[in-house]
Amino acid sequence: MVSGLKQRSEFVPLNTTRVDVKTFDCGKEPINRFLHRFAAKHMASSLSATFILPFRREGTSTTDKLGVAAFYTLANQSLSPENIPTNKSLPRFETPVVLMAQLGVNKQHQGQGLGAITLVSALQHAYSISTNPSAIPSFGVVLDAIDDEALDFYKSFEFFIEFSGDPKRLFVPMQSIAALL
C-alpha cells in the first residue's frame, strides 16, 4: 500500500479546492506543468478530464489540502481510419478514440507499482466510458509517450501497438482492453 493512501483509495475528478496540485512532482517538467497550470483549466473548458489519486501529506491536518500521489488525463480524439492499426474494416470517416493525454506518479510514490495501477485505472475508465450506452463509444485508446523511459513502461505491458510512424505513439483497441478486464 502507498503510504498516506487510504486502503481503498480511488481516482477522483480533480478538484483544486481540495487538492494542492502545486506540490506534485513526478520528475518530468512537462507533466508537472500540465497538472500545475492546465489540468483544471482544461476541465473547466471541457477539453479533457483529469483524475487524481489523493493522499494526506505528512505533517498536514485533516483541514489541509490533500496531495496528489498520481493522476491521469483523458480526452476525446479522432483518427483517420487508415492510421489505426487494425484488421477491422472501418468507415472512411474519422474514428473516435480516447486520448490518454497525461499520466504521472509523484516521486514520493514511485517504485511502488503506482504507475501500473494508474495506467490500469485510466484504461478501465476509458473502457467504461466507451461501453456506456449513454456515452459516446471509442474504438481504442491512444497515447504519446513523453520519452524513452515512459515508452519502455508502456511497452512492458505488451498490449500497446506502435502506429502512425511515430514509435512513441501507441494504441490499444477497446477490444483488447475488454479482454484484460
Side-chain angles (χ1 to χ4, degrees):
M1 184 172 100
V2 177
S3 61
L5 297 178
K6 295 179 194 169
Q7 190 111 23
R8 253 184 65 71
S9 293
E10 295 180 9
F11 285 84
V12 296
L14 174 63
N15 179 342
T16 56
T17 63
R18 296 172 41 208
V19 176
D20 182 5
V21 296
K22 299 289 185 192
T23 60
F24 180 86
D25 180 9
C26 69
K28 299 186 188 279
E29 189 50 39
I31 294 173
N32 293 339
R33 185 173 43 254
F34 175 82
L35 185 62
H36 297 172
R37 296 184 55 203
F38 301 111
K41 290 176 187 175
H42 286 195
M43 284 182 72
S45 299
S46 298
L47 297 173
S48 63
T50 296
F51 300 87
I52 58 120
L53 185 62
F55 77 102
R56 173 94 27 232
R57 293 174 289 143
E58 210 171 296
T60 62
S61 74
T62 56
T63 58
D64 290 332
K65 287 185 174 185
L66 298 170
V68 176
F71 82 98
Y72 63 87
T73 300
L74 302 177
N76 292 315
Q77 189 174 54
S78 60
L79 300 173
S80 296
E82 62 270 8
N83 292 333
I84 298 176
T86 184
N87 294 329
K88 284 191 171 191
S89 176
L90 296 173
R92 291 183 294 172
F93 49 85
E94 296 281 301
T95 303
V97 295
V98 173
L99 173 66
M100 189 180 337
Q102 302 284 331
L103 186 149
V105 176
N106 195 319
K107 286 197 297 191
Q108 292 177 248
H109 299 286
Q110 291 177 3
Q112 301 175 43
L114 196 49
I117 291 168
T118 305
L119 175 61
V120 168
S121 181
L123 293 174
Q124 286 175 329
H125 195 161
Y127 179 78
S128 74
I129 293 167
S130 180
T131 58
N132 179 338
S134 299
I136 298 171
S138 296
F139 189 72
V141 174
V142 173
L143 66 87
D144 296 292
I146 192 166
D147 57 23
D148 289 338
E149 181 183 15
L151 182 62
D152 290 344
F153 168 74
Y154 293 123
K155 283 185 161 186
S156 73
F157 291 90
E158 299 181 354
F159 49 77
F160 286 104
I161 304 164
E162 290 180 18
F163 77 109
S164 78
D166 180 351
K168 290 184 180 162
R169 185 146 235 229
L170 302 174
F171 174 79
V172 60
M174 284 299 172
Q175 196 172 27
S176 295
I177 295 172
L180 298 169
L181 302 179

